[in-house]
Amino acid sequence: MNRINIDNAAAITGSVTEQVIESLRPAAIEAARTLERGDGAGNDFLGWLHLPSSITSEQLDNIEQTAAMLRNECEYVIAIGIGGSYLGAKAVIEALNDNFAAYKPASGARVLFAGNNIGEDYLYDLMQLVKGHKFGIIVISKSGTTTEPAIAFRLLKDMLEQQEGKQWAAQHIVAITDAARGALRKLAGEEGYVTYVIPDNVGGRFSVLTPVGLLPIAVAGFDIRALVAGAVAMEREGEEIMATYAATRNALYRDGKKVEILVNFDPRLHFLAEWWKQLYGESEGKDGKGIFPAAVDFTTDLHSMGQWIQDGERTIFETVLRVENQNNEVVIPRDEADLDGLNYIAGKRVGEVNKMAELGTQIAHVDGGVPNILITLPALNEHCLGQLIYFFEKACGMSGYVLDVNPFNQPGVEAYKKNMFALLNKPGYEEQSKAIQARLNG
Ligand code: PA5
């Protein structure tokens, strides 16, 4: 069956009993009801809840047409955005791509990302890479004023206009932003860019199934209809497993497990974990509480973080993303000399060895006092990823309500911005500038 599943058996063998987990299930189900009724905290940001089932075929057609234009007419398409305006697309593209896609000839435009950091050399290297090549831009910002993407867009827009002329540039820049407000909406109107809307009631970290995620994913050549279909299946049938996840992680948290580590055994899931970290970190880390979301790539990190996880402070639990089937078969060959002593696994698939590493790790960690939750994906394909995305989104809303926080705001992210603006003497920040300078000068 092409359905993802969840298993809390390992959590039960850890420090939390089935009874405790089950005792929180009613709270998780009630949280789902609160989301459906729309009368909980942050209820003006619930637009993502029925997004999968409400996207129309015409909307998908339109996104696919824009994607095809960019794919066919550009060598590179640079998706500019930060946080929720980039992580979903990056996660899905990395999960579906050939591991070495960057080093192989591409059949359409290559999707690159910018505006998710302020690395000077990153931007320099990117501009050197696309110099003299046809490139398009998808600029994504709900507010239209976020510093990191604004800097990248100013630089790349300027470069594109100089390189290809204003008209060509305007035809190959797509803006995804608020329906009416913000600097980007105004500029897009003036320049005549193709635009898409980030609905008012969909927060950045819940926006991957809007054009924010769907357009870059389609430009990368992946099937956004299958992705959405997977999300629809989870929206319709996934409540029980989402409740299991929300109840289990809250039970573990109440039992002193303050850190959740999302574990993968497939390197293509690295950015899925980055997306998940944002989703849960921004949604739950507030009011002095919340599970700290961390992530590791196994078996790679078993050789770095493995020691800590096995033997360090017992305040952690793991949620393991298990991919049942790999797309390709690689068999370990027999070697006459057998100097490396590997003949005992000759003839086995690499994936089989990986699975035994996974099982062995799970047993070791549970024995070491690290409860495990297991989420199983039949394969890494669009349908399964669509399911997983919606699973984590709704379980996050449910979990946030069980924790008794508003999962849909992020007041804490403003603090660094205020200091940065004060340090850069941004107009309007004169008082803060004086105060911060006085503090720095002792
Ligand atoms: O989840 C969120 O709301 C944030 O991570 C935003 O997505 C991020 O800060 C980018 O904001 P914007 O799209 O307004 O540029």
Side-chain angles (χ1 to χ4, degrees), residues 7-8 19 24 226 230 246 272 279 334 348 387 391 406 410:
D7 173 12
N8 68 356
Q19 233 178 354
L24 284 183
L272 200 287
L279 182 63
R334 172 162 296 280
K348 286 193 194 298
Q387 292 175 61
F391 169 86
N406 173 356
Q410 55 283 331

Side-chain angles (χ1 to χ4, degrees), residues 166-275:
K166 269 195 88 112
Q167 196 188 353
W168 197 96
Q171 287 163 352
H172 295 83
I173 295 176
V174 177
I176 306 180
T177 187
D178 184 86
R181 291 181 299 266
L184 190 53
R185 169 60 55 190
K186 188 163 178 283
L187 178 73
E190 284 168 11
E191 304 277 349
Y193 300 156
V194 170
T195 60
Y196 291 94
V197 170
I198 310 175
D200 266 354
N201 58 357
V202 178
R205 60 190 175 275
F206 289 85
S207 69
V208 53
L209 297 171
T210 73
V212 169
L214 297 179
L215 182 62
I217 293 167
V219 174
F222 298 113
D223 182 352
I224 55 172
R225 284 171 197 273
L227 188 80
V228 170
V232 172
M234 187 57 66
E235 180 189 330
R236 297 206 168 124
E237 293 156 33
E239 186 168 286
E240 201 179 317
I241 59 171
M242 294 186 280
T244 300
Y245 182 55
T248 306
R249 62 197 300 284
N250 274 284
L252 290 164
Y253 181 62
R254 289 180 190 189
D255 198 47
K257 305 297 183 192
K258 306 290 186 195
V259 180
E260 177 177 7
I261 305 175
L262 193 73
V263 175
N264 73 72
F265 282 78
D266 187 316
R268 288 173 298 174
L269 287 172
H270 177 84
F271 274 96
L272 200 287
E274 294 300 308
W275 170 81

Side-chain angles (χ1 to χ4, degrees), residues 81-86 140-146 149 198 203-207 278 282 410 413 417:
I82 195 164
S85 291
Y86 110 98
I140 308 169
S141 179
K142 191 171 181 192
S143 61
T145 54
T146 308
I198 310 175
R205 60 190 175 275
F206 289 85
S207 69
Q278 189 215 2
E282 270 192 348
Q410 55 283 331
V413 301
K417 291 183 192 171

Side-chain angles (χ1 to χ4, degrees), residues 205-206 274-284 389 392-393 396 407:
R205 60 190 175 275
F206 289 85
E274 294 300 308
W275 170 81
W276 171 88
K277 273 159 57 179
Q278 189 215 2
L279 182 63
Y280 280 80
E282 270 192 348
S283 299
E284 293 193 321
I389 286 168
F392 276 140
E393 284 183 353
C396 182

Side-chain angles (χ1 to χ4, degrees), residues 27-345:
I29 298 284
E30 179 48 33
R33 296 288 94 77
T34 307
L35 288 170
E36 294 296 337
R37 285 194 310 270
D39 58 4
N43 58 358
D44 44 347
F45 279 97
L46 295 178
W48 54 273
L49 194 57
H50 296 296
L51 198 57
S53 57
S54 54
I55 300 172
T56 64
S57 190
E58 292 68 39
Q59 285 170 320
L60 292 172
D61 274 347
N62 183 292
I63 292 170
E64 284 169 343
Q65 277 162 21
T66 303
M69 180 276 287
L70 290 171
R71 221 175 128 68
N72 296 335
E73 297 179 17
C74 303
E75 284 172 77
Y76 298 100
V77 172
I78 305 170
I80 298 178
I82 195 164
S85 291
Y86 110 98
L87 279 165
K90 175 85 175 166
V92 173
I93 292 170
E94 293 284 315
L96 294 172
N97 248 344
D98 176 320
N99 285 286
F100 297 95
Y103 307 98
K104 295 181 177 173
S107 56
R110 283 186 193 285
V111 177
L112 307 173
F113 290 89
N116 54 66
N117 60 54
I118 324 180
E120 191 165 9
D121 284 346
Y122 184 96
L123 282 165
Y124 176 86
D125 292 346
L126 176 64
M127 290 193 292
Q128 288 299 114
L129 177 73
V130 299
K131 195 173 178 178
H133 296 273
K134 288 267 188 278
F135 71 94
I137 298 173
I138 304 172
V139 56
I140 308 169
S141 179
K142 191 171 181 192
S143 61
T145 54
T146 308
T147 309
E148 292 88 339
I151 291 172
F153 184 52
R154 182 182 279 216
L155 285 162
L156 289 161
K157 170 182 177 286
D158 193 50
M159 182 179 170
L160 188 60
E161 287 174 348
Q162 288 192 28
Q163 196 169 285
E164 308 293 344
K166 269 195 88 112
Q167 196 188 353
W168 197 96
Q171 287 163 352
H172 295 83
I173 295 176
V174 177
I176 306 180
T177 187
D178 184 86
R181 291 181 299 266
L184 190 53
R185 169 60 55 190
K186 188 163 178 283
L187 178 73
E190 284 168 11
E191 304 277 349
Y193 300 156
V194 170
T195 60
Y196 291 94
V197 170
I198 310 175
D200 266 354
N201 58 357
V202 178
R205 60 190 175 275
F206 289 85
S207 69
V208 53
L209 297 171
T210 73
V212 169
L214 297 179
L215 182 62
I217 293 167
V219 174
F222 298 113
D223 182 352
I224 55 172
R225 284 171 197 273
L227 188 80
V228 170
V232 172
M234 187 57 66
E235 180 189 330
R236 297 206 168 124
E237 293 156 33
E239 186 168 286
E240 201 179 317
I241 59 171
M242 294 186 280
T244 300
Y245 182 55
T248 306
R249 62 197 300 284
N250 274 284
L252 290 164
Y253 181 62
R254 289 180 190 189
D255 198 47
K257 305 297 183 192
K258 306 290 186 195
V259 180
E260 177 177 7
I261 305 175
L262 193 73
V263 175
N264 73 72
F265 282 78
D266 187 316
R268 288 173 298 174
L269 287 172
H270 177 84
F271 274 96
L272 200 287
E274 294 300 308
W275 170 81
W276 171 88
K277 273 159 57 179
Q278 189 215 2
L279 182 63
Y280 280 80
E282 270 192 348
S283 299
E284 293 193 321
K286 53 197 68 162
D287 306 338
K289 50 190 175 179
I291 296 169
F292 183 85
V296 288
D297 301 319
F298 284 168
T299 60
T300 311
D301 292 336
L302 284 170
H303 298 260
S304 61
M305 295 301 289
Q307 171 60 37
W308 199 105
I309 294 170
Q310 189 68 48
D311 278 345
E313 194 179 63
R314 302 297 72 186
T315 48
I316 57 173
F317 67 98
E318 291 173 306
T319 296
V320 181
L321 293 178
R322 173 168 210 226
V323 182
E324 292 275 35
N325 298 301
Q326 293 281 299
N327 299 332
N328 303 290
E329 203 175 298
V330 179
V331 174
I332 298 165
R334 172 162 296 280
D335 181 85
E336 275 318 308
D338 195 28
L339 290 177
D340 53 13
L342 279 187
N343 273 354
Y344 78 105
I345 48 171

